[in-house]
Amino acid sequence: MPRKPKRPCSSPGCPELTDERFCPEHAKKEASRYEKYQRDPETRKRYGRAWKRIRDGYITAHPLCEECKRQGKLTPAAEVHHILPLSRGGTHDESNLMALCTPCHSAITARDGDRWPSR
């Protein structure tokens, strides 16, 4: 099967042709630039592969938003919320988790001040 033709690297002024978005040299630079905007290393340690398995299992077992259910609405859950945040000593234990839709999760996080702490 024929391959797609190579295209110029997306880095401004780079003449290298590549199959990817960036040539190998600029791919490393772009990856490090992108990493600056990720979670800090301490937080990243808490949310690894084990958390993804726990989260997927919890969403499967609790497919509806627990906050909306209390209000009589049936909304699919999209996120799993830690009732007591990990940064404050919470765990991934099922008793500390809550299935929420995105608007409910954003409202709770903003209300608790976890995402945007006051300065």
Side-chain angles (χ1 to χ4, degrees), residues 81-119:
H81 176 72
H82 288 91
I83 298 167
L84 178 63
L86 297 176
S87 60
R88 295 188 196 151
T91 64
H92 291 318
D93 188 51
E94 193 168 320
S95 62
N96 189 40
L97 301 178
M98 183 182 220
L100 297 172
C101 61
T102 303
C104 288
H105 186 255
S106 297
I108 288 174
T109 305
R111 183 178 63 223
D112 293 346
D114 292 337
R115 187 165 293 161
W116 305 281
S118 58
R119 294 179 185 180

Side-chain angles (χ1 to χ4, degrees), residues 38-48 51 86-87 92:
Q38 297 296 312
R39 289 181 165 150
D40 64 326
E42 278 300 310
T43 305
R44 210 174 325 151
K45 276 189 225 173
R46 296 185 214 131
Y47 293 100
W51 164 245
L86 297 176
S87 60
H92 291 318

Side-chain angles (χ1 to χ4, degrees), residues 16-35:
E16 294 293 319
L17 295 176
T18 180
D19 291 323
E20 305 294 325
R21 183 168 177 214
F22 293 99
C23 66
E25 178 187 344
H26 290 113
K28 290 178 185 175
K29 290 179 183 176
E30 182 65 19
S32 66
R33 187 187 71 78
Y34 183 79
E35 279 294 313

